[in-house]
């Protein structure tokens, strides 16, 4: 079962609702001896935290993460790590009017149809607030990666928001944390700001595309054929709220390519095989090649908008919905640290899984 | 673990290599009392079978499936069903020259790097031949769905192959099984044929996009938040050989949309909620809405082409690879029945899972 | 993986250390619509709580359980239920002297050898305090059983403590909750009290045998062959701290029996099959028969005793250990509610699993 | 899910019925590079094979195991290993009379009640014939252990059969394979033979107790708290047909012990910690200590006996059952190689799991 859990050996179970007392992640399988503390995890939560800029919801949440178990004197012990985040600014009254109404594009109606009961406050379990728990778990995964795979880097950034997109020639990782959009290009920021201001003024919202790259992962990660690295990344990213598509390397564009264009040719470099290109996104047959691992995903526009949309109530009567709560005009922005967290968890998980299955000893050498 | 297994309650484990004595699927969790026989399963295998048209590999495989367990007097018993397909036309000699060479775009190099040993014959475990086992399991899933959800239909078809694409206005499911491309539009067939003939003459290959639709699934399937219906579909499709992208509903295009465009408005129909559109692809918050469930995936062009590509040998020396084996110029064609099989397995799995978690009794009614 | 998790569909993950800030259970897969609140769960925790009688540790823990998620307006919602118990009386100073010493019969040495780091305070994760989380989860399972299988009863009691044992002819469930030993026979209580007082005065401890019975479970529960009902019960009970043996029905005594003695003969009763006896403990081929499901387990004597035992320190030097902490002379007493909790979780899990696999509809009828 | 699968990383799924065309084990997660062939596996199957002595069923089965996948040029490749055993001597006619009758003590009635359909021939899936697949998988596990943990030995033997039991002072592993009872004491063989002949002449059957020991396993195996080494061994042994009890170390007798007797004292030896005794059976807190790992299990007497037993038919009418098929008077004998196989699988699984979680690097040293 993996209903609220993902991962093979590094297993993350998230729990909690948007407006309950708390939410969190129960992480089982973190290796022992990993140095970590709440302050380290908090740096990642702060990136995802609401209210950070004028482009994200003004809900005020400290999103302070507490480590309740599994860490002793600053190190993981190999036992489950409980990461809890208390909800503080719940303002349930904002949501009272949706108790009987299904918001279009939201999970209100399907949770009702499935379970016959739902915590309607802020979307309950279906709220993107759940991703705070993922980010906390991702921070723990990064701490473990720092320990097991020094030099490995994971970086996410926006590549598109509605009609604006990045220039791939200008990607500079150093810029990503210096602007409100996690944009890898300082020059693009003003255009993106203007574009999103227009969207907001029009009481509308907009979709986004995010790319997450893992640099420095060794060759050999991924467990064919149903625990392939790309399979697990697809699952991880598609599980994020509002995601509608996932791509590895060329992604959907591969349908348009010819074989002569697509195959990355192989050369022998000083430190092992090298490739002429990376159409594959760093994964062949579900196993990492040692190149950058590249995944992209698309986030739909926030369904909660100020423009009225037709819907029905629980009794079947017709109504119109205008969402007056505090919402992001582009939820894709805050999906960037979430995508990074999922990548960190998946990569760590496969490092551990590979070690278990194959070991640390000599494997297939080339040359 | 789900290394060679997928599914929660309907669990499919595939085994076998391209040129070993046999391959198959061990299916655990099929409900009892399902009428099924080898002839029924064979109809699906015949759709995927090589050598069916001039556009697929000329390898001659009967792909005859045998049921070795779990079926008694024409009905499943609730015990594991073993589905075995013997390999008959193995021609291992065709592959002798790749024992020491890594084919670009193939998993040869990563299997070697991961395991230090690989069955190089025909790609071994990484061969698309593994998908025959999925199709057999998918046939069993369809038999169970026929039993549990009469009226539910699953249909896959090609939507793009390189530069040719279908006209969405002309989709007609009745046409799909009448042409070599699983095209839902008879009129398009000649153009696709001509295009692929050109690709083949140019000793090249081409990618493809496949869409699979499930019609008639009830609302309520999907287990948030890491066993979402879309999450499991993404994982299922991405695990198919050569797949580089997966989309639900609007897919990657959602990144370009505005909230006013994207939200499917809700109305009350005679039999329950109805929607003005299906941007969501039939899934909200990971749970089915009762609309068509729509998934698309992109298959990269066959890496095995007659045009020379640069590569290296196991000793690190440089070489050029020209694949002389029997290969499909567009592997995407045969991916259609595979995509259908994965959809059937995922939908059945979630029907069972929902029944287990929530039961068959009254759930959330509307109106 | 099931490292800190058990169950197929009703999945319980426990977390937390004896002297950390809190411990708890993350329960995934509880059906929706189950009425439950903290007060109901607390009744079970109070049975296991330390300091209840002169025969259990005097550690003062309120063991107050909080529901942090998954319950809305008094009912489960189908989302994960987080059950947290804060540690309040930690007195870590009592344990400072064992930071460098391995207590004989304890997990101190193996945790150190496995992980290279351990939270030594009170045994950390290996403390029987972890079972409080199981009892909380068991309470939730009971609430769901009350909902799904009204009439089903689960009862645990002591059958042996060192040299004193119950008279099986005198078992009366009504007595169990009226004495400090969970004894099903009021007449036996004084002898047991006197016996345990002697043990304690001798600065010693003693083992125990507990029997747990589930009455009223339907026939058909259990998923052959590695999710058999008896297999899962064996695993559940053996996972409890200090348990060294598990028996179903006749248990180990079956090795001494002849076939003519052991087979429970079958008769047709008014409501279905009836049996002449229950040597099988209510399980045949891993599936429940509808009779009482009977499991027994043995708990070793508390290793923490006031009598000095030889041991070593982390540096390998020899030492003697006298445990001065607050410990139970017979940990078996408090294992009774834990055994009940495990039974409740396993039975509920198999009810859900059966429903998922086989459904609620008509199955094999007899007569 | 673990319905027909056990293991965390070394995952064994068995399939097949007693009288179907074949049965087998799909083994996923075997490490790559393990030397193994059919002849090696066959040595273990031959120990379990029927018709080996006058004390086991005279059914004639070659039990020839075939490797269908996952092994290439004499070595495992890291992909699933399919082990198939064809059924050859099925004699279904012997079982025709039980199609409508439930044999007391057998799973006929519970399979019918659960599934509403059953392959009644020879007990179908519930037949002890399923254990042949376990023995094949256990052989593969031994091959991997030979590779990963040279020096580790696993040995099973009978300790009791009805009223005869071994003298623990006379255990000699060298004798075990030299007699029909897997007895570790040559001197005891004649008495056991005479005893079992009497049982058989009386048209009866008898239970047995088997002990399995793993010598040479490293300290540190076992994953608290629900994947404890003893928990997984309990589950593994209880899943074997007809097993009613499982003990670790002192087992059920622990209930009678005092703390002063039970705690194994610790000393520092030349190569690490040593213990004064092994009441714990080599496991503390669910983790191996490095001592012998000792598990015992009880097998009930064969329910199929020539003495008439009362039962009912599917239509509810009363009948008497006399089993005329070919059956073992003591099924416990052939359970010895099965118990060894389960131990081998569990130990290998935990070696891999430990490597994945904790790694091969330096862990907690002592001294």
């Amino acid at each position: 079962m993996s209903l609220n859990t993902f991962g093979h050996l590094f297993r993350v179970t998230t729990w909690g609702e948007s407006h309950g007392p708390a939410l969190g992640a129960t992480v089982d399988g973190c290796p022992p001896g990993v140095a970590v503390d709440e302050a380290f995890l908090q740096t990642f939560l702060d990136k995802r935290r609401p209210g950070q800029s004028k482009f994200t919801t003004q809900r005020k949440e400290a999103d302070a993460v507490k480590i309740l178990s599994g860490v002793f004197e600053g190190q993981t012990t190999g036992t489950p790590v409980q990461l809890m985040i208390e909800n503080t600014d719940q303002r349930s009254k904002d949501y009272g009017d949706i108790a009987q109404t299904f918001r279009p594009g939201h999970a209100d109606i399907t949770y009702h149809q499935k379970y016959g009961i739902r915590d309607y406050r802020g979307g309950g379990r279906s709220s993107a607030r759940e991703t705070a728990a993922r980010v906390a778990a991702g921070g723990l995964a990064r701490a473990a990666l720092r320990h097991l795979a020094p030099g490995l880097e994971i970086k996410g950034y926006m590549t598109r928001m509605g009609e604006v997109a990045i220039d791939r020639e200008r990607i500079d990782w150093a810029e990503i944390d210096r602007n409100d959009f996690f944009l890898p290009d300082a020059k693009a920021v003003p255009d993106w700001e203007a574009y999103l201001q227009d969207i907001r003024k029009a009481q509308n919202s907009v979709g986004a595309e995010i790319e997450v790259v893992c640099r420095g992962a060794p060759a050999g990660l991924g467990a064919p054929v149903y625990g392939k690295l790309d399979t697990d990344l697809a699952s991880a990213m598609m599980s994020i709220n509002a995601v509608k598509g996932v791509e590895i390397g060329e992604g959907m564009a591969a349908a348009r390519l010819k074989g002569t264009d697509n195959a990355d040719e192989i050369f022998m470099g000083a430190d092992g095989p090298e490739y002429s290109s990376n159409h594959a996104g760093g994964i062949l047959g579900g196993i990492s090649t040692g190149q950058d691992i590249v995944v992209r995903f698309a986030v739909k526009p926030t369904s909660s908008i100020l423009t009225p949309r037709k819907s029905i109530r629980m009794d079947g009567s017709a109504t119109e919905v205008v969402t007056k709560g505090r919402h992001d005009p582009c939820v894709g922005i805050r999906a960037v640290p979430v995508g990074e967290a999922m990548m960190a968890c998946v990569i760590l998980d496969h490092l551990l899984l590979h070690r278990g299955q194959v070991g640390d000893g000599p494997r297939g050498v080339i040359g």
Side-chain angles (χ1 to χ4, degrees), chain A:
Chain A
M1 291 296 99
S2 57
L3 310 184
N4 288 279
T5 301
F6 68 94
H8 304 277
L9 285 181
F10 183 79
R11 283 175 74 70
V12 177
T13 304
T14 69
W15 54 272
E17 277 79 37
S18 174
H19 285 61
L23 53 82
T26 310
V27 185
D28 195 7
C30 187
V34 172
V36 70
D37 59 17
E38 291 169 353
F40 180 75
L41 301 182
Q42 197 63 45
T43 57
F44 300 101
L45 280 155
D46 286 347
K47 287 181 69 177
R48 196 213 72 99
R49 191 146 60 92
Q52 294 294 87
S53 83
K54 58 183 168 293
F55 302 114
T56 55
T57 168
Q58 294 306 303
R59 177 171 171 168
K60 292 282 183 292
E61 283 291 357
D63 274 1
V65 63
K66 288 184 190 168
I67 299 174
L68 296 185
S69 67
V71 176
F72 183 61
E73 298 181 346
Q75 288 196 311
T76 57
T77 59
T79 64
V81 180
Q82 182 59 261
L83 304 171
M84 183 175 73
I85 298 157
E86 287 172 283
N87 290 319
T88 53
D89 180 21
Q90 302 165 8
R91 285 209 219 170
S92 293
K93 62 185 178 304
D94 284 9
Y95 295 97
D97 52 345
I98 60 163
Q100 298 297 322
T101 302
F102 305 121
R103 295 169 297 166
H106 275 281
D108 302 336
I109 190 165
T110 52
Y111 269 70
H112 175 72
Q113 286 179 303
K114 183 177 189 77
Y115 297 116
I117 177 176
R118 67 192 164 99
D119 181 347
Y120 50 77
R121 300 168 302 168
R125 180 73 181 147
S126 73
S127 167
R129 191 148 173 69
E130 182 267 343
T131 60
R134 304 181 188 219
V135 170
L140 181 60
R142 280 178 187 265
L145 285 170
R146 208 169 44 168
H147 184 73
L148 293 171
L152 186 149
E153 280 181 285
I154 289 167
K155 209 76 194 170
Y157 42 87
M158 290 185 84
T159 48
R160 169 176 291 281
M161 178 176 63
E163 288 154 55
V164 291
I166 63 164
D167 175 356
R168 293 203 153 265
E169 301 300 311
R170 295 184 47 84
I171 292 179
D172 176 0
W173 286 19
E175 292 298 331
I176 294 170
D177 289 330
R178 295 183 189 145
N179 62 79
D180 290 341
F181 295 99
F182 303 109
L183 264 179
D185 177 6
K187 203 174 148 196
V189 174
D191 280 357
W192 286 53
E193 283 194 359
Y195 179 77
L196 194 56
Q197 286 289 28
D198 288 348
I199 292 287
R200 192 157 60 175
K201 279 176 199 155
Q203 309 203 324
N204 213 336
S205 64
V206 70
E209 185 187 272
I210 288 100
E211 186 165 282
V212 184
V213 175
C214 175
R215 184 164 291 165
L221 304 186
V225 294
Y226 300 112
K228 286 176 174 173
L229 190 54
D230 36 0
T231 296
D232 282 0
L233 286 170
S235 178
M237 299 310 171
M238 193 64 95
S239 74
I240 300 172
N241 307 52
V243 171
K244 302 305 287 182
V246 183
E247 301 187 314
I248 304 291
E250 285 290 343
M252 296 305 294
R256 297 166 188 260
L257 292 179
K258 291 184 186 144
T260 41
D261 305 321
N262 188 59
D264 307 309
E265 292 183 302
I266 315 175
F267 301 88
M268 193 62 192
D271 301 322
E274 290 178 6
Y275 296 83
S276 61
S277 51
N278 191 10
H279 297 286
I283 301 173
L284 284 174
I287 305 172
S288 63
T289 62
Q291 295 171 275
D292 282 3
I293 298 165
V294 182
V295 61
R296 265 185 317 285
F297 57 95
V299 179
K300 71 177 184 182
T302 321
S303 300
S304 300
I305 51 177
L306 288 160
T307 307
R309 297 283 96 189
K310 291 194 169 58
S311 187
I312 58 175
R313 298 193 189 86
M314 277 174 70
D315 62 7
S317 59
T319 184
E320 284 208 331
V321 174
V322 178
T323 310
K324 279 168 285 187
R326 301 153 294 169
H327 294 284
D328 300 20
C330 178
V331 279
I333 301 173
R334 290 167 60 210
V336 173
V338 181
E340 287 181 344
M342 298 307 282
M343 173 71 93
C345 291
V346 170
I347 295 293
L348 173 63
D349 188 33
H350 275 282
L351 269 170
L352 301 178
L353 190 53
H354 180 78
R355 189 166 71 170
Q357 290 183 284
V358 179
D360 284 327
R363 286 164 277 146
V365 288
I366 295 174

